[in-house]
Structures are given as structure tokens and as C-alpha cells.
Amino acid sequence: MLKQYKFKNYNFRLVIYVTAITILGILVIGSAKESVQNKQILGLFLGMVVMICVSVIDYSLFLRFSWLGYILNLGLLALVKVMGEGANGATRWIEIAGIRFQPSELSKILLILFFAYFFMKYQEKLNTVKILGLSFILAGIPLVLIKEQPDLSTTIVTALIFVTLLFIAGLSYKIVLGVLAVSVPAVIIFISLILQTDQKILDPYQYKRIMAWLQPEKYADLAYQQLNSKMAIGSGQLWGKGLNNSQITSVKNGNFISEPQTDFIFAIVGEELGFVGSVIVIALLFLIVMECIIMARKAKDISGRLICCGMASLIGFQGFVNVCVATGLMPNTGLTLPFVSYGLTSLVTLFLGIGFVLNVGLQPKKYGMGDTS
């Protein structure tokens, strides 16, 4: 199985980028909450093993079992409703054989693989009502299960990944323009409706998060996280206050940011590593996304292209939203920063996805005679 590969095609740049940002994340996590740093180090080693193993196995083999992966995905998400463990008002974790993990994180990877197979199989019929309708149903079922946890932010990111895959697969521009023509006024109407005090569309906590973002002075008890996050980032100035510092002026040291090792890890990056450290984190995420896109262009088939673009959209969208939340540009969503925030499930599944991207790169497109595309 290994002899068919030319390891000059192995994207070591991508491996270096994901390893570097994960190590940087481990250092920041140790400063934010030292007690969980060793678990994140374990996650790095597990993730590296998973990534390397997956990267040398033909991704086409996994795609053959994509329907089983889809059913497994639904089963795990359904188990959250039955035997899920709650934390901070949400039930998103389950424990099987002593292993506690978050199925919605694995769901993103499984859905990328499934739709890479599905859209490849029905590429010629993609723009028919039947296939479009079926694809939306197949995407809608896991999205509803994730939404019910409740986890609206992960639902939105997963939906964006699906839409990206649909577009890359060859969705007609006529359909895209038609959807935009309907969506833009629909979004405006939706926003006006959810801003009403008696609205029934969003859960109360979701409505309050939006209002705390729009009117922080009125909802100070809910807006304090983002306000303190912006204060922490600004206080880091150019070079930051240093990791594990003991300054009494530190927002982190004053415990003004709850769970800083997860959703608001970028605030710790900004405060302790400053503007320079923040730019490095954003640059590494950008480079990872770009490498995935470059690999997509070299993929031997549409399924490989979709896997790479799916991972690029996952890391890009989630990273963008997390940074926007930490800097107050978006309402608080509860999304983690890829490779940086604490979380074994998130870290290992991201490395799993990168493993598939690396395997796509090991099987580059073979150009035929006269093919210059």
C-alpha cells in the first residue's frame, strides 16, 4: 500500500503548520489552565498518530464505507439525547468504554467524507431537484440533532461546510443566484423578527447573547465575557505580557474570563503574546487553509477536492468566527479556535481530517496527453 506513493508528494509544510499551531496552543492552554495542559499534549500525540496512519491509507477506501460513517454519525448524535452528559446548560458529550467525547466534532469530518462520496457519485445529476432535495435532507438530519443539544454555533458552521461542498461539487450558478435573491431579503426579515422582545424563533439564551452583543451596556451581566476579552487583547499591546506571567493587571490572572482555555483562548493569546502572537496564530490558520485549497487543486478526483475544501472551510469558518467573537465582532457563539483551544475530541478529529488531506496530496492528479488544466 505504501509503495504506490511518492513521499515527495507528502505535504510536510502542512504538517509543520498544524504541529506549530498546536504546540503554541498547548503553551497558551498551560498559561490559561495548567491542569489540562497534559491532556492537550496527549491529544497532540494521539492526533499525530491518527493523522499519519490515515494519511497513508487511500481515502477512496474510506469513501466506500461513507454510508456506514453517516449512519454511525447519526447514531452517536442520537446517543447524546439518550445518555449525553451536560455542561454549562448544554448536553453535547457522551462516554463510551470510559472515553468521553463530543460527537458533533467528529460529525463534521464524517459529513465531509460522506458528501465527498455522495456528490462524486451524483455529480452529473447534482442540479436536479431530486439530488438537491436528497442532499439537503441528508444534511438536515444531523444538523437538527446537533441543534437540539443545543449547539447552534456548530450547526451553523456545519451547514456552511455543507454549502461549500455543494458549491465546489458544481452547483449551478443560476441556482446560486436564485438562492441569493431569496436569501438576502429572508435574512433581513429573520433578523428583524429575532430582535423583537417577544420572538419565539431563538431560545432565550441565544436571544440574550445577540442582545448582549448589540447592547452590552444594557446586558452587562452577559456581555462581560466579550468586554473582558477585548480588554485582555488590547492590554497585550505589541509583544504581550508573557506566558504564565504574574502581573496583577492581567485580565486572565484576575479570573475575569471564564473557561479561557476553550472559547476565549484567543483573548489569552492577545494578552500574553500580544499583537505579534495574535498575528502568528491567524497566519498559521490562514496557511493551513491555503495548503488545503492548494491540495484540492491537485486532487486526482472530485471527492479528493471536496475533502480538502471541506477541511479548509471547517478550519477557516470556525477560526474566523472564534476570533470575531473574542474581538467583539460577532455575538458569543461558544466555538473553539481550531488546534489552539483545549479539547481532545476537537484536536484529534482535526488531525484526522488533516490526515485525509495529506492522503489526497499523495495521490496527485495525473495529466493526460494534451491536458493542461
Side-chain angles (χ1 to χ4, degrees):
M1 181 177 292
L2 298 179
K3 291 181 180 179
Q4 64 179 308
Y5 301 130
K6 295 180 180 179
F7 279 91
K8 67 178 183 179
N9 294 322
Y10 205 91
N11 194 333
F12 289 103
R13 287 193 309 274
L14 181 56
V15 175
I16 291 171
Y17 294 152
V18 297
T19 304
I21 195 172
T22 304
I23 292 174
L24 184 58
I26 289 171
L27 294 175
V28 178
I29 288 169
S31 181
K33 189 174 182 179
E34 187 178 3
S35 61
V36 299
Q37 186 179 38
N38 287 337
K39 290 183 179 179
Q40 193 75 352
I41 294 173
L42 173 62
L44 170 60
F45 284 108
L46 287 175
M48 291 291 289
V49 170
V50 169
M51 179 186 71
I52 293 170
C53 291
V54 170
S55 70
V56 295
I57 302 175
D58 191 340
Y59 66 88
S60 300
L61 178 64
F62 289 96
L63 296 185
R64 293 176 194 171
F65 301 97
S66 57
W67 274 102
L68 289 177
Y70 180 80
I71 294 170
L72 172 65
N73 180 30
L74 296 186
L76 291 174
L77 292 174
L79 277 178
V80 175
K81 296 286 290 182
V82 178
M83 51 181 287
E85 298 180 8
N88 300 323
T91 304
R92 302 171 186 170
W93 294 264
I94 58 174
E95 184 171 330
I96 299 177
I99 301 175
R100 186 174 183 265
F101 67 100
Q102 190 174 347
S104 60
E105 294 294 334
L106 179 61
S107 178
K108 300 170 190 173
I109 308 298
L110 293 177
L111 285 176
I112 289 172
L113 295 176
F114 174 75
F115 282 109
Y117 166 81
F118 183 85
F119 289 145
M120 177 186 67
K121 184 176 181 180
Y122 297 105
Q123 186 180 11
E124 299 299 323
K125 302 178 181 179
L126 179 63
N127 291 296
T128 62
V129 174
K130 179 181 177 181
I131 298 303
L132 281 176
L134 181 57
S135 65
F136 274 95
I137 291 172
L138 291 170
I141 297 172
L143 288 175
V144 169
L145 290 173
I146 295 172
K147 165 70 170 58
E148 290 300 309
Q149 293 182 1
D151 195 349
L152 181 60
S153 54
T154 299
T155 305
I156 293 173
V157 167
T158 308
L160 289 173
I161 294 171
F162 167 72
V163 171
T164 300
L165 294 175
L166 186 59
F167 178 76
I168 297 298
L171 184 65
S172 170
Y173 282 96
K174 293 180 180 179
I175 297 176
V176 173
L177 292 174
V179 171
L180 288 175
V182 174
S183 299
V184 172
V187 168
I188 295 173
I189 295 172
F190 175 76
I191 293 174
S192 64
L193 288 175
I194 64 174
L195 292 180
Q196 304 297 319
T197 55
D198 58 346
Q199 64 86 32
K200 302 296 182 183
I201 301 173
L202 299 178
D203 292 334
Y205 85 94
Q206 294 166 347
Y207 170 77
K208 290 179 179 178
R209 279 186 176 183
I210 293 175
M211 296 309 297
W213 174 62
L214 293 173
Q215 303 176 9
E217 66 287 343
K218 185 176 179 180
Y219 295 85
D221 58 327
L222 296 173
Y224 77 96
Q225 276 275 68
Q226 285 186 292
L227 294 174
N228 290 337
S229 174
K230 290 190 290 183
M231 186 187 305
I233 293 171
S235 68
Q237 299 185 30
L238 183 60
W239 296 105
K241 300 173 182 176
L243 291 171
N244 302 298
N245 71 81
S246 57
Q247 295 184 26
I248 59 174
T249 57
S250 168
V251 178
K252 181 211 72 180
N253 293 341
N255 295 320
F256 292 113
I257 301 176
S258 61
E259 302 298 325
Q261 75 279 9
T262 54
D263 304 351
F264 283 90
I265 192 72
F266 191 74
I268 310 304
V269 172
E271 181 174 55
E272 302 197 339
L273 300 180
F275 176 77
V276 173
S278 300
V279 169
I280 290 173
V281 168
I282 294 173
L284 284 171
L285 287 172
F286 176 76
L287 289 171
I288 292 169
V289 171
M290 290 306 299
E291 286 295 331
C292 290
I293 294 173
I294 292 170
M295 302 280 268
R297 291 176 58 84
K298 298 178 180 178
K300 68 176 183 178
D301 56 25
I302 184 63
S303 61
R305 193 178 312 149
L306 290 171
I307 289 172
C308 293
C309 289
M311 284 304 300
S313 61
L314 190 167
I315 297 166
F317 287 137
Q318 191 161 318
F320 177 78
V321 171
N322 179 276
V323 172
C324 284
V325 168
T327 53
L329 297 176
M330 284 186 179
N332 192 354
T333 61
L335 281 176
T336 55
L337 187 60
F339 300 106
V340 182
S341 294
Y342 168 70
L344 266 66
T345 307
S346 174
L347 186 59
V348 174
T349 53
L350 283 169
F351 271 95
L352 172 65
I354 294 297
F356 285 113
V357 173
L358 290 169
N359 185 256
V360 172
L362 282 175
Q363 304 179 64
K365 186 189 299 180
K366 293 180 174 61
Y367 297 112
M369 293 296 293
D371 186 356
T372 58
S373 60

